Amino acid sequence: MTSAIRTLWLTFLHLFHKAETIQYPEQQPYLSPRYRGRIVLTRDPDGEERCVSCYLCAAVCPVDCISLQKTAEPDKWTPEHFRINFSRCIFCGFCEEACPTSAIQLIPDFEMSEFSRQNLVYEKENLLIAGTGKVPDYNFYRVAGVNAFGKDKGKALNESEPVDPRGLLP
């Protein structure tokens, strides 16, 4: 009984507040910096694709909306196809957290509505953006100690020589 009276009281208090109406789309709503919207694939500072087809994003996705296939070439670790079904995606951000190269990022874009469900399946061409996203200076191959395509370790631009672990022994 007390909860019903409390609810009526709170409703009565809100009768005299000014209504907050946002004239969308002319006036964009405020989005928190932590807001997770559309998923994109980013590039490293050299302009190459960051995704190395490790399948971690697809493995942690709780609704199995991500599918990808590694290229058949042995030296090239990029996805041949990368597909996200946004009609199933719950925008949990697990894929972004699991990605070791910061290739997958969730940006504050929420205008993704479609009339047809088939249009919510985004391919690699739709997901790949030209920029680096939230992590502008990160390049996986410079940090991981893996040879970049066509360059030995320590030979790429702004990369230091690798450390010889045997030289550190006493």
Side-chain angles (χ1 to χ4, degrees), residues 100-113:
T101 62
S102 296
I104 286 189
Q105 296 181 11
L106 281 79
I107 61 172
D109 180 15
F110 61 90
E111 296 172 335
M112 298 174 50
S113 60

Side-chain angles (χ1 to χ4, degrees), residues 40-44 48-50 102-103 105 128-129 131-133:
V40 294
L41 289 175
T42 60
R43 297 178 184 270
D44 61 11
E48 300 292 327
E49 292 180 33
R50 279 185 171 158
S102 296
Q105 296 181 11
L128 194 62
I129 63 172
T132 58

Side-chain angles (χ1 to χ4, degrees), residues 1-19:
M1 180 69 180
T2 57
S3 65
I5 293 172
R6 183 173 180 267
T7 303
L8 284 173
W9 175 250
L10 289 175
T11 304
F12 177 75
L13 289 178
H14 283 283
L15 286 175
F16 303 107
H17 285 189
K18 183 180 176 184

Side-chain angles (χ1 to χ4, degrees), residues 18-150:
K18 183 180 176 184
E20 294 183 22
T21 304
I22 296 176
Q23 300 297 325
Y24 180 82
E26 291 82 18
Q27 182 182 4
Q28 293 291 321
Y30 169 75
L31 295 176
S32 168
R34 298 183 302 161
Y35 181 81
R36 295 181 297 218
R38 182 179 166 223
I39 298 173
V40 294
L41 289 175
T42 60
R43 297 178 184 270
D44 61 11
D46 298 335
E48 300 292 327
E49 292 180 33
R50 279 185 171 158
C51 182
V52 293
S53 302
C54 64
Y55 297 94
L56 286 175
C57 54
V60 298
C61 183
V63 294
D64 289 335
C65 68
I66 299 174
S67 68
L68 66 150
Q69 178 66 44
K70 181 185 166 295
T71 55
E73 301 171 24
D75 295 336
K76 191 172 184 179
W77 283 75
T78 56
E80 184 175 315
H81 83 269
F82 195 101
R83 185 175 301 132
I84 296 180
N85 187 350
F86 280 108
S87 65
R88 298 178 66 186
C89 182
I90 58 174
F91 301 97
C92 62
F94 286 170
C95 55
E96 183 181 24
E97 292 179 17
C99 185
T101 62
S102 296
I104 286 189
Q105 296 181 11
L106 281 79
I107 61 172
D109 180 15
F110 61 90
E111 296 172 335
M112 298 174 50
S113 60
E114 290 284 343
F115 288 107
S116 175
R117 186 173 288 179
Q118 285 80 20
N119 293 338
L120 288 172
V121 178
Y122 282 50
E123 298 291 336
K124 180 179 170 182
E125 296 79 27
N126 308 113
L127 297 168
L128 194 62
I129 63 172
T132 58
K134 300 174 190 172
V135 192
D137 297 331
Y138 181 71
N139 187 332
F140 173 73
Y141 289 107
R142 287 189 193 143
V143 177
V146 178
N147 292 339
F149 305 114

